[in-house]
Amino acid sequence: MKIYTAENDGFLKLSFTGELDHHGAKTAMKTIDGLIDDALPRNLIMDLSELNFMDSSGIALILRVSRRMSDIGGKAWVENPLGQPLRVLNASGIDRVVKVFEKAR
Amino acid sequence: MTNTDYIKFEFPSRSVNESFARAAVASFAARLDPTLEELADIKTAVSEAVTNCIVHAYPGVLGTIWLRARIIDESTFEITVRDTGVGIPDVKKAREPMYTTGGDDRSGMGFTIMESFMDKVKVRSVEGKGTSVTMTRRIVRRTSAV
Ligand SMILES: Nc1ncnc2c1ncn2[C@@H]1O[C@H](COP(=O)(O)OP(=O)(O)OP(=O)(O)O)[C@@H](O)[C@H]1O
Ligand SMILES: [Mg+2]
């Protein structure tokens, strides 16, 4: 699991790659907390187009990132989930809490 | 084939072993000529069950996780993940969506995901003794055996 970032005009985009499981989520959350602290973005995009695998630990991570963003008065959403990660998102019903865009906005 | 087509292994409950468990089961399941989607479903279920042992069965300690995968017939795959950890006091409640004892780090969706990605999920648990989760999944036959 690796995270690539791009920052632009209040937008912070996190591109998740590889596999996001409980092992990866432990360090990913710390990394993301640091990135949010530094950038203090108004909008945070989690791009999953390069993510090959995710389980419920990824769901918990997305929920936490989204909560963290509302704490600082911002918004977070998910873009471009494909294949297995998309099926996990659907099975979890997370789209009732965090917006999921199957195509980039 | 029946009864003899299985793998069995055990490993310590360290999170670094999650990806190994997924990959090992998937490469064994490849024998049934599954689609990539079926393989991904099996990996997902393994990941959920193994993570539960690491996080819940052995909280803050190292324990042993036993895993068995079995080809029951040419279209049925079975996985059993077992621990000798704390056990689940109320299995019915534990299986409800969003029920978690794990706080902020967890979403309480593990069993729900196992149920939606596998055909059958059976949970046996005794408080203080441990838990075993057995899941089966039908693999659609695409080619006839040579
Ligand atoms: N092997 C186990 N040993 C002890 N308790 C378990 C075990 N597996 C599950 N549980 C209990 O069942 C609850 C629900 O499990 P489930 O996998 O559905 O959600 P979770 O693990 O809490 O969150 P998530 O899987 O979404 O990260 C857990 O919070 C825990 O209390
Ligand atoms: Mg779980």
Side-chain angles (χ1 to χ4, degrees), chain B residues 67-119:
Chain B
L67 199 154
R68 183 185 70 184
R70 204 151 65 103
I71 293 170
I72 295 192
D73 57 46
E74 58 281 314
S75 60
T76 317
F77 194 67
E78 181 196 76
I79 303 154
T80 300
V81 178
R82 186 169 64 83
D83 65 69
T84 51
V86 300
I88 305 175
D90 184 344
V91 170
K92 194 161 171 271
K93 196 159 157 203
R95 292 176 72 146
E96 282 170 12
M98 275 147 72
Y99 176 83
T100 183
T101 56
D104 233 20
D105 288 341
R106 316 260 39 109
S107 66
M109 295 309 294
F111 279 128
T112 305
I113 290 170
M114 287 182 247
E115 281 162 11
S116 92
F117 282 54
M118 301 294 279
D119 295 314

Side-chain angles (χ1 to χ4, degrees), chain A:
Chain A
M1 161 82 179
K2 257 204 170 118
I3 303 172
Y4 294 93
T5 62
E7 206 186 321
N8 177 18
D9 196 24
F11 283 78
L12 176 63
K13 180 167 164 176
L14 306 177
S15 303
F16 296 173
T17 67
E19 305 204 324
L20 174 53
D21 61 7
H22 159 247
H23 185 68
K26 288 197 284 190
T27 40
M29 196 60 228
K30 283 198 199 103
T31 307
I32 296 169
D33 275 337
L35 290 165
I36 294 176
D37 286 343
D38 286 345
L40 293 174
R42 272 175 285 121
N43 299 287
L44 185 144
I45 303 157
M46 289 170 269
D47 184 295
L48 306 191
S49 56
E50 300 292 318
L51 190 67
N52 303 319
F53 178 89
M54 170 177 115
D55 61 19
S56 63
S57 306
I59 298 292
L61 179 123
I62 291 169
L63 289 172
R64 272 188 66 176
V65 171
S66 147
R67 235 177 291 130
R68 184 78 215 289
M69 283 303 296
S70 36
D71 286 349
I72 63 164
K75 283 202 191 92
W77 64 88
V78 172
E79 282 182 2
N80 299 319
L82 294 164
Q84 189 270 358
L86 176 60
R87 293 205 301 283
V88 170
L89 288 170
N90 288 338
S92 75
I94 196 180
D95 56 337
R96 279 172 303 198
V97 188
V98 181
K99 286 211 170 75
V100 176
F101 298 97
E102 290 190 32
K103 291 261 154 56
R105 294 216 287 183

Side-chain angles (χ1 to χ4, degrees), chain B residues 19-70:
Chain B
S19 59
F20 169 78
R22 289 197 295 274
V25 175
S27 73
F28 177 62
R31 200 173 290 185
L32 285 172
D33 193 25
T35 61
L36 285 179
E37 188 171 317
E38 288 166 337
L39 264 191
D41 288 357
I42 287 170
K43 284 172 78 173
T44 310
V46 169
S47 205
E48 294 299 344
V50 166
T51 301
N52 277 354
C53 300
I54 295 171
V55 174
H56 304 295
Y58 304 119
V61 293
L62 272 189
T64 302
I65 299 170
W66 288 267
L67 199 154
R68 183 185 70 184
R70 204 151 65 103

